[in-house]
Amino acid sequence: MIVRLHPHATQRLLERGATEAEVIATVENGERFPAKLGRTGFRRNFPFAGLWRGRPYANKQLEAYAVEEDGCWLVITVLVRYY
């Protein structure tokens, strides 16, 4: 499966503490769910065991929102939750 990132999604990776590899793993192996505007959401949990904005967290959850184009997934944006 081919996964591409929209420039908006790429920009959000650093701001939100995710990597491109994590986004690809989320799309390939994460939970799939319907999203607004005909998009598809993908969700996956990752071990984190680190600090984010000065607070310690054990895990992080990525949500990637994508559209299917020409047989591949185009990730529009990425959200990250720490817990």
Side-chain angles (χ1 to χ4, degrees):
M1 170 185 314
I2 298 171
V3 179
R4 296 182 302 133
L5 275 70
H6 187 276
H8 172 82
T10 303
Q11 183 180 10
R12 298 298 176 250
L13 292 180
L14 287 176
E15 293 173 9
R16 297 177 179 166
T19 66
E20 187 172 335
E22 289 171 333
V23 173
I24 292 169
T26 299
V27 173
E28 291 179 341
N29 303 309
E31 171 192 356
R32 183 188 239 182
F33 58 93
K36 293 180 182 179
L37 304 173
R39 296 179 180 155
T40 302
F42 298 90
R43 182 181 300 124
R44 185 171 176 185
N45 296 330
F46 293 90
F48 181 63
L51 294 176
W52 178 251
R53 297 188 177 170
R55 296 184 61 190
Y57 294 97
N59 300 293
K60 68 179 173 180
Q61 180 182 79
L62 263 69
E63 283 188 3
Y65 293 91
V67 293
E68 195 168 6
E69 279 189 352
D70 302 323
C72 67
W73 288 105
L74 175 62
V75 177
I76 305 299
T77 195
V78 177
L79 301 177
V80 182
R81 293 180 181 90
Y82 293 87
Y83 58 97

